[in-house]
Structures are given as C-alpha cells and as structure tokens.
Amino acid sequence: MIPNFSATSYDFTEYIPATNFIGGEWCEASGTESLPVINPRWGKPMSSVRFSTAADVDTAVKAAQAAFQDWKQWPIRERAHVAYKAREIMHRDFEELSWLLSHENGKVIAQARAEVAKGIECLENGCSLANMAAGGKLEVSRGVDCEVRYEPLGVVAGVTPFNFPFMVPLWMLPQALVGGNAFILKPSEQVPLSALKIADIFQEAGLPDGILNLVQGGREVVEAMCDHPDIKAQGFVGSTTVAKLVYGRSCNTGKRALCLGGAKNYLLVVPDADLEVTASNVAASFTGCSGQRCMAAAVMVGIGDVDHIIDEVARRTAALKTGTDLGPIISEAAVERITGIIDQAEEMGATILVDGRKVRPSEEGFWLGPTVIDHATTEMRAATEEIFGPVLTILRVDTLEEAIALENAIPYGNASSIYTTSGGIARRVMGEVDAGMCGVNIGVPVPREPFGFGGWNDSKFGHGDITGWDGFRFWTRPRKITTKWALQRDETWMG
Ligand code: NAD
C-alpha cells in the first residue's frame, strides 16, 4: 500500500515520488531523467517522476503476459467483482482522491470531486459488463448454430493526458480489465500521482499482480509501447498531433489503436434560445476545469441578434472568482501561449469583453482569469486553434447556414451544441454539424455510459469509441463458433 495523501485543503502538501508499478511491485524507472510534478496553484514541486525506458516497458509486458494466462480464465463475473470492490474503495477514499487530483492538476475541489465521481461512474460500466457482455447464438442453418464470444486480446496499453488524471484512465481500465486483458498504463508525466492511487486501489480490490501495471515517463515509453509486438491494442487520449503519431505508429506494428485527440467545440446560439439556460451553460462550459477539457465550449457562434445572451454570458463570466470558482492553468508556458492568442485577437480588432490576462488570485501559481473575446474572425488563432484555457471566442453571423459552414470548416469534430427552443432548428443542426458528440441545449454533451465517448475527424483516429459498449468491443475480439451436432446428411455449402 502506498501512503495516504494528507491534504484536506489547498495548503501546499508534498507527496511521494511517482514510481512504476510492475507485476504488483512498486519499482524505480530505469531512466536517468526525472521531472518535478508541479502543483499549479503554488507553482512548485509536490513530487517527482523518473522517466522509464523501453526496457521498463518490456519488463511490464513480460509481467503482464505471465499474469494474463490465469486472468483470462476467470469468469467475467469474477473479474467484475474486482471492479465492484475497487468502486467501494474509491467511495471510501473519495475525499483523498479528490484532493490529490486537485493538487496535481490544479482544478478546484468541487471540480476534482466531480471528476472522481465521473471516474467511478465509468468503473460502474465495467461492473455492468458481467450482465451486458453476453455474446449471441443463432441457428444459422438447419442444425447449425453460430455463436459469438468476446475474448480478451492479451497485453494492452493506454496513454493519458494531464487534464483528467483520474477519469481518463478509467475510460479504458474497466472495459479492458473486466474484458480479461492485462493493462499497461502510462499517465501524463505532468500528473502521474492519481494513477498511483488507481493501481493501489485495484491491488487492494484483489486484482492479481501483473494485470495492471504503471510505467511512468514520456515519449520514449509511448513509442516503445507502439513498437512492442506483444502489446495488442493501444489506447491514447491527448493532443491531435500526438494522437495521429501514436495511431500511425501503432498501426504500423499491426496492433489496433484508438487515439482521441484535441478539439475546438462550437456552440451555435439563435435568438430564440432560452436566456438563462444558454448564458449559464456557456459560461460554465468554457470556464469549467479552467477550460482545460476537450469538451469545453471554445467558440460561440451568435446567429442574428443575440446581444442579450452575450451580455448575460459576459456578466456571469465576470462574476466568477479565479482561484475559487476556477483553478490555475497547468503551466506557466500554457498561460503564456493562451495570453498570446488573446493578444493577437485584440490586435486584429476583436473586443475583449471580459479580460482575464491580469487576473491573479495570488503571487504563486499559473493563473489566467476567464476571458470573453467578441467580434472575432476566422483569421484569428482564437477562432480556429485549440486554446485549452478559460477563453470563449464569439463569432457573429446572420444565418444558420453560415454558422454550420463555419463549424464544419474546422478540422476537429469532437463536440457541437445548438441552443434553441425550436425543434426544427435543433433537428437540422443535429443532422448537419460534422461532430461526433452533439448537444441540444447542453454545454458539455458528454455521452454517458453505456453510450461511448469519442469525436470525429481530427479529434479521433481509429474506429469506435473509448467508453461504454464500444470500449468493450475495442479491448476484446469476437470469436465465432459454428457448431453442428445434428449430423444430418443433406449437402450444403457449410458441409
Ligand atoms: P499531450 O498530447 O501533450 O500528451 C498526452 C500524452 O502523450 C501524455 O501522456 C504524454 O506523455 C504523451 N506524449 C506527449 N508528447 C508525445 C510524443 N511526441 N510522442 C509520444 N507521446 C507523447 O496532451 P496533454 O497536453 O497532456 O493533454 C491535452 C490535450 O488532450 C488537449 O489537446 C485535449 O483536447 C486532449 N484531450 C482529448 C480528449 C478527448 O477525449 N478527445 C480528452 C482529454 C484531453
């Protein structure tokens, strides 16, 4: 067992170094490079992480392969019982998990608690698999039955980003583990600590040693995973550039890959939209988790006269308290990058309705207050680039056609929402926008389980979605068994 994380407030608190966890043992990475794990609220190291090498990946694969031989024989209900037990422990440790996450990532405690709750919900999908994962059987010809069973792939791997250190690993683990695989997880080197707790919890829940392994590090580990011939599937969540690289490299070695990338989500708002619902949703969507989420509203397209809604979005945004309602940004470099995007929009003629550039609740840490950019144009980086900060860019157009065309011109396709009280408008937009996760009067249209999470276009490389039933299909392979017991003599092509 690893020690408890003792914080119950934002007070600066150190934690143990992030090590590897292989074959049920905590062990040092073999690389020489290590990085501090910086608490973004304080801007100083709370822990450290040593980088692993390709040799560590290979050690983890061997441990996982050995453990898989027994685990794959467990009935799915018994594997799901481990997930049930892990869920109980997560509830028991809910506050500790939330504070650890808040400290390593920076998100405020209410949003950290929401992430832990959502992670547990993802785990519940794994618990349900014992009831959902029945294959099918059909008499396909006289006296001939065909049956399908979902079987594990073997050793599989996942790579996760900095913005949801607890939840995103739990997008993959429930389906992969209950599906009978052995897993190697590489968390983001910026936030490697929640994953320590996840591994510890699964061990306490009775997961056999070697079935969940952690290999800490960065690019070298990911490339070694992509290249390793005995890793059969690669999951990835992160930026589009890296998602594309990981997808290509994994497919080159013949493994299946599902790689979720970045986003630039457009919300379309028409004048008949409900003022309160729209303004509160838009403000919450782009400021939640300080805008560091792939489902954040990034661009609001105002269609016609929506000044009253924009005024209300700005009023609500200006009332938010940085430090209390929203946390810091992950790094100083990210603050500088985002500030540069706002500066450019202003220089090119946009109006900064709410300006977060000088907002700092304290001297320490990496801060940027919520910002609303109005009258932006598509020549500005703010309208097309993923910002990943608490910034809303407003584009104004006259018609729904123009709004849909703007939305569909961007290469991403993660999420898209329409705010309207007209069924006809909603129906049209839901049929025409080029995005995988769409919403009507919803600011963060995350499909909850059993539906699957995943975008389109440059927001996802690979087939299917990462959570829900699709996730289970990704981490398993169907075996088809055709049986003929009644040995009738008639000749058919199935002879
Ligand atoms: P990132 O791409 O920088 O890092 C993600 C992971 O890839 C990390 O574990 C990192 O160590 C590894 N990595 C980084 N560079 C690499 C390289 N050159 N080769 C191999 N591996 C590499 O992403 P991030 O900054 O941690 O996270 C933010 C991004 O993740 C945003 O673009 C966001 O939209 C995206 N994201 C997408 C989803 C989704 O569901 N589509 C969900 C969460 C986050």
Side-chain angles (χ1 to χ4, degrees):
M1 295 269 286
I2 56 171
N4 287 349
F5 182 61
S6 61
T8 53
S9 73
Y10 295 124
D11 289 351
F12 183 75
T13 308
E14 291 187 351
Y15 195 50
I16 54 169
T19 56
N20 287 349
F21 180 71
I22 297 178
E25 303 285 339
W26 296 99
C27 49
E28 278 296 336
S30 68
T32 50
E33 189 191 346
S34 75
L35 266 191
V37 177
I38 310 277
N39 174 328
R41 180 174 283 268
W42 291 92
K44 61 180 182 180
M46 61 179 288
S47 171
S48 62
V49 55
R50 183 178 299 192
F51 278 33
S52 305
T53 63
D56 296 314
V57 173
D58 192 52
T59 306
V61 171
K62 291 198 166 73
Q65 267 181 326
F68 170 68
Q69 300 312 321
D70 183 53
W71 179 241
K72 71 176 179 186
Q73 311 284 355
W74 288 36
I76 191 165
R77 194 163 295 281
E78 290 178 26
R79 295 196 297 252
H81 280 160
V82 176
Y84 275 112
K85 183 71 188 157
R87 178 185 176 279
E88 281 171 21
I89 300 169
M90 286 177 189
H91 276 295
R92 182 196 72 195
D93 296 348
F94 191 91
E95 280 301 295
E96 184 196 350
L97 292 167
S98 304
W99 280 110
L100 178 61
L101 158 56
S102 170
H103 280 243
E104 70 169 333
N105 165 279
K107 62 184 69 176
V108 294
I109 189 63
Q111 290 166 2
R113 288 185 182 122
E115 177 177 343
V116 173
K118 180 60 200 166
I120 293 173
E121 188 177 302
C122 294
L123 184 55
E124 286 166 359
N125 190 62
C127 301
S128 315
L129 285 171
N131 300 318
M132 285 166 55
K137 193 169 181 180
L138 186 73
E139 185 180 36
V140 292
S141 184
R142 281 174 191 270
V144 179
D145 292 332
C146 197
E147 179 191 352
V148 62
R149 294 179 190 164
Y150 297 102
E151 298 192 0
L153 300 166
V155 179
V156 299
V159 175
T160 52
F162 82 81
N163 61 328
F164 282 95
F166 184 79
M167 181 189 75
V168 172
L170 290 168
W171 279 359
M172 305 180 193
L173 292 173
Q175 288 77 231
L177 295 180
V178 177
N181 300 283
F183 203 96
I184 304 175
L185 173 65
K186 192 212 81 70
S188 164
E189 62 275 36
Q190 291 176 286
V191 292
L193 304 175
S194 291
L196 303 182
K197 278 284 165 191
I198 292 175
D200 201 44
I201 286 170
F202 271 105
Q203 190 177 43
E204 188 185 343
L207 190 72
D209 292 346
I211 296 301
L212 172 57
N213 306 277
L214 293 185
V215 180
Q216 306 283 1
R219 178 177 178 165
E220 183 178 347
V221 171
V222 180
E223 291 181 348
M225 285 173 157
C226 297
D227 295 346
H228 204 295
D230 295 326
I231 293 179
K232 300 299 179 194
Q234 182 71 52
F236 175 91
V237 180
S239 59
T240 289
T241 310
V242 183
K244 217 182 240 182
L245 287 171
V246 171
Y247 183 72
R249 197 158 173 156
S250 299
C251 292
N252 267 342
T253 55
K255 59 177 61 97
R256 62 174 72 171
L258 186 54
C259 300
L260 275 61
K264 186 81 175 169
N265 306 314
Y266 277 46
L267 278 100
L268 277 47
V269 178
V270 294
D272 76 9
D274 182 274
L275 174 63
E276 287 299 307
V277 169
T278 309
S280 61
N281 279 207
V282 173
S285 178
F286 86 90
T287 59
C289 300
S290 300
Q292 299 174 119
R293 51 182 178 176
C294 68
M295 294 296 281
V299 174
M300 171 178 155
V301 187
I303 301 156
D305 181 7
V306 291
D307 282 351
H308 60 298
I309 298 175
I310 292 173
D311 290 348
E312 184 60 14
V313 169
R315 192 189 66 75
R316 285 173 178 269
T317 303
L320 292 171
K321 289 201 168 37
T322 305
T324 311
D325 297 321
L326 62 163
I329 303 297
I330 191 68
S331 66
E332 193 59 52
V335 174
E336 280 168 23
R337 180 182 54 77
I338 300 165
T339 306
I341 293 175
I342 304 168
D343 291 346
Q344 190 223 32
E346 188 174 39
E347 282 154 21
M348 291 178 74
T351 312
I352 312 299
L353 285 185
V354 183
D355 192 347
R357 282 174 290 187
K358 299 229 158 39
V359 174
R360 289 197 69 91
S362 81
E363 281 309 305
E364 290 85 20
F366 314 133
W367 297 100
L368 184 82
T371 299
V372 179
I373 303 173
D374 196 6
H375 296 291
T377 64
T378 50
E379 286 72 43
M380 299 170 188
R381 293 169 66 199
T384 52
E385 270 184 35
E386 181 175 40
I387 297 180
F388 227 55
V391 180
L392 179 71
T393 304
I394 301 176
L395 297 170
R396 291 169 180 257
V397 296
D398 294 325
T399 64
L400 198 54
E401 289 70 32
E402 288 172 89
I404 294 171
L406 277 180
E407 147 104 65
N408 290 349
I410 55 158
Y412 299 106
N414 218 40
S416 173
S417 284
I418 170 77
Y419 277 88
T420 182
T421 48
S422 153
I425 291 178
R427 189 178 160 82
R428 175 167 175 205
V429 172
M430 290 303 96
E432 292 186 23
V433 286
D434 203 10
M437 293 178 279
C438 299
V440 177
N441 298 321
I442 299 271
V444 184
V446 170
R448 296 175 82 156
E449 292 70 17
F451 301 105
F453 187 101
W456 291 355
N457 308 328
D458 278 3
S459 294
K460 190 188 71 189
F461 304 90
H463 178 72
D465 289 332
I466 195 97
T467 61
W469 181 245
D470 263 22
F472 180 73
R473 295 294 304 272
F474 176 73
W475 300 109
T476 56
R477 53 186 171 177
R479 183 196 293 277
K480 286 74 62 182
I481 303 168
T482 304
T483 311
K484 184 171 75 177
W485 283 115
L487 300 176
Q488 81 270 21
R489 306 262 169 247
D490 53 325
E491 297 280 315
T492 70
W493 63 270
M494 297 190 82

